[in-house]
Amino acid sequence: MIVEVPPDLSRIRRTFFAESVRAVSAGVIETALATFAILIAVKVFDAGPVFKSIIIAAPAIGLLGSFGAVSLVGNSRLKASHAAGLISLGSTFGFVLAAAGAHNETCFLVGITIGVGLISMGMPLQIQYLRHNYPSAKRGRLFSVSVFIRAFTGMAVSWGFGEYLDQDLSNYPVLLWVFAGAAAVSGLCQFTIPSEPLRATVRTRSGFFDSLHIAREDRVFVKLLVSSMVLGIGILSAMALRVDYLVNPVHGLELDIKTVSLITGVIPGITRLISTFFWGWLFDHVSFFKVRIAINLLFLVGLLLYFIWPDTRLILIGSALFGLARGGGEIFFNLFVTKLATPEHVADYMSVHTFLAGVRTLLAPFIGFFLVQWANIPVMVVLSMALVLIALFFVGTAAKQSREDELGKGTSGEG
C-alpha cells in the first residue's frame, strides 16, 4: 500500500484557480483545430488532403516531442509547471506567425502547426504537477472542472467565431491573433502553479527509452496502450473528416459556416459540458476499465450516425455523442496513468502514452483523408468501427490482467 501525504489546501487552491483560468484559454485554442483551421484551409486556401492532414496532425508534433521535453526538464532544475509554461508560451510564436502571415498559405500552415503542436508538448508535465497538487480522491472531480470550463468556452467561442466569419470570411486573421493571446495567457497561468523540479520526482537517465523500460514492465499499462493506439487510429481517422465532410462539395452537403460551427463546436460542446462532472465522478469511483469501455461504445455509435446517413438531424446526434465520449475520453486520457503509476513515475508513464498518442495523431488524418480520396466515406467508417471493436477487446484483456495481478500480488493503490 502506497501512503501519500495529501497536498495542503493552499496548494490545491492555487493550482485549481490557475488551471481554471487556463481552461478558458485552452477552450479558445481548441476551436482552432476543432473547426476553424480546417474551415479556413478549405474556404480560403482551397487546401488539398496533404495540407488538411498536416493541420489535423499538428498536435502530434507536441505529443511526439513530449518525451524529449520530459528528458530535458528532468535533467534541469526547472519546475514542472514552469517548464510547461515555457512550452505554452512558445506556442504563442506559432499563432503570431499564422496571424502575421495570414494571407500566405505557407505561413498559415507552419504557424498553426507550431501553435497547436507546442501547446500539446507540456501535457506530461501538467499531469505530473496535478498528480502532486490534487488529492487522489478528488483528482477526477477537480480536473473535470477544468474540462467543463474548457468545453463551455469552446462552445461559446465556436458559435461566436462562426457568426463573426459568416458575416465576412476575410476577418479570419482576427481569430488567429485571439489564439496567440490565449496561448500566452495559458503559459502565464502555469508559471503561477506550485511544483517541484522534475528531477526530484522523476528518475530521468536516458529520456524516452528509460521511460519505456519503466512502463513496459506494467502489463496492464501495455495492453491499455495497445487499445488506445487502435482506438485512436480508428476514431481520429474519422474525426479528421468531420469539418471537411460538412463543407467539401465532394461529399454533397456544403453546409454554411454557422451550421458547421453548430455541429462541430456547439453541439458536442454542450454534451461534453453537461457530462463532464459525471465522468469525473465515474473516474474517482468506478473501475476505469468500465469507463473506457463506455467511452469506446459512445464513439462507435456516434461515428455511425455522423457519417453513414447524410441527414443533418442524425449528424447532430452523432456529433452530440462524440462530445459525450470526448468528455470522458479527455479525463481518461489525462488521468488514467495516475491510477497505474507510482507518484515518481507519472511523467515517465505519461511521456510514453503521449508519444504513442502523437504517432497515431500524426498517422490518422492521412489515413482518413487518403482513404476517402481512394475509396469513400462508408469504407472509412467500416475500418474505423472495426478498430474500435478491436480496442474494446484489448480493454477487456487489460481488465482481466489487472484482476489476475491483484489476486497474485494483492491490491495496491493510493492511500
Side-chain angles (χ1 to χ4, degrees):
M1 180 74 69
I2 299 171
V3 179
E4 297 182 47
V5 178
D8 62 75
L9 187 58
S10 173
R11 190 182 186 99
I12 296 171
R13 285 175 173 172
R14 286 177 61 189
T15 303
F16 179 75
F17 177 78
E19 283 291 296
S20 296
V21 175
R22 199 174 75 84
V24 176
S25 297
V28 173
I29 295 170
E30 260 185 19
T31 66
L33 194 64
T35 301
F36 296 106
I38 288 295
L39 192 148
I40 293 168
V42 173
K43 294 288 189 179
V44 176
F45 297 110
D46 192 26
V50 174
F51 191 106
K52 292 180 287 189
S53 296
I54 291 172
I55 290 176
I56 294 294
I61 293 175
L63 294 172
L64 287 170
S66 61
F67 74 88
V70 169
S71 178
L72 289 173
V73 175
N75 289 315
S76 72
R77 296 304 299 166
L78 272 176
K79 294 181 178 181
S81 58
H82 289 181
L86 286 173
I87 293 171
S88 295
L89 290 176
S91 72
T92 305
F93 167 77
F95 289 118
V96 168
L97 175 62
H103 301 291
N104 181 285
E105 186 175 4
T106 301
C107 285
F108 174 78
L109 177 61
V110 173
I112 286 292
T113 302
I114 293 173
V116 175
L118 286 184
I119 208 74
S120 307
M121 187 179 289
M123 190 178 297
L125 303 170
Q126 178 199 9
I127 302 307
Q128 180 70 39
Y129 66 68
L130 291 183
R131 176 66 174 77
H132 285 271
N133 292 1
Y134 283 167
S136 61
K138 297 181 179 179
R139 192 173 296 129
R141 187 178 6 162
L142 291 172
F143 187 77
S144 69
V145 174
S146 296
V147 175
F148 180 90
I149 295 171
R150 187 159 64 249
F152 181 83
T153 303
M155 179 183 64
V157 168
S158 182
W159 180 253
F161 282 177
E163 288 276 3
Y164 184 60
L165 290 187
D166 205 42
Q167 294 173 12
D168 187 352
L169 184 60
S170 65
N171 289 329
Y172 74 90
V174 176
L175 272 62
L176 302 176
W177 285 112
V178 174
F179 297 146
V185 171
S186 180
L188 293 174
C189 285
Q190 287 179 311
F191 267 94
T192 68
I193 295 173
S195 69
E196 294 74 30
L198 202 58
R199 169 66 76 178
T201 54
V202 179
R203 295 192 295 272
T204 306
R205 297 188 297 273
S206 58
F208 173 70
F209 294 104
D210 181 58
S211 298
L212 184 62
H213 175 73
I214 292 169
R216 73 181 182 184
E217 296 176 355
D218 188 329
R219 291 176 294 178
V220 174
F221 181 57
V222 170
K223 289 179 179 179
L224 287 173
L225 288 179
V226 173
S227 172
S228 295
M229 179 63 76
V230 174
L231 175 73
I233 291 175
I235 294 300
L236 292 174
S237 296
M239 296 285 276
L241 290 154
R242 283 196 312 152
V243 177
D244 191 71
Y245 176 63
L246 302 179
V247 302
N248 197 322
V250 172
H251 305 304
L253 293 173
E254 292 188 82
L255 302 181
D256 60 83
I257 294 176
K258 284 193 293 186
T259 303
V260 172
S261 295
L262 177 70
I263 292 173
T264 62
V266 178
I267 294 300
I270 290 173
T271 53
R272 179 182 170 200
L273 196 70
I274 61 179
S275 67
T276 293
F277 295 122
F278 175 66
W279 287 118
W281 181 88
L282 282 179
F283 183 84
D284 287 334
H285 296 91
V286 177
S287 165
F288 64 92
F289 297 108
K290 294 179 180 178
V291 175
R292 177 76 268 181
I293 290 171
I295 293 167
N296 286 17
L297 291 173
L298 286 171
F299 273 127
L300 186 66
V301 178
L303 187 71
L304 186 67
L305 294 176
Y306 194 98
F307 287 105
I308 291 297
W309 296 282
D311 184 318
T312 304
R313 291 168 297 181
L314 293 176
I315 292 173
L316 284 168
I317 296 172
S319 185
L321 292 177
F322 276 143
L324 187 61
R326 189 181 173 193
E330 185 168 8
I331 292 173
F332 184 91
F333 181 92
N334 284 278
L335 296 183
F336 90 96
V337 298
T338 66
K339 295 279 192 178
L340 298 173
T342 54
E344 68 273 14
H345 286 145
V346 168
D348 287 305
Y349 273 55
M350 197 66 186
S351 66
V352 175
H353 174 43
T354 54
F355 176 82
L356 294 176
V359 172
R360 59 181 176 265
T361 303
L362 183 63
L363 293 176
F366 290 95
I367 293 172
F369 278 113
F370 283 103
L371 188 61
V372 169
Q373 187 178 39
W374 293 332
N376 51 40
I377 289 286
V379 170
M380 181 272 296
V381 172
V382 169
L383 174 63
S384 296
M385 292 177 64
L387 291 174
V388 174
L389 292 173
I390 293 170
L392 281 167
F393 169 77
F394 277 104
V395 174
T397 61
K400 181 180 178 181
Q401 181 71 61
S402 178
R403 288 193 295 269
E404 290 175 355
D405 290 348
E406 288 178 2
L407 289 172
K409 302 176 183 178
T411 303
S412 64
E414 295 171 344

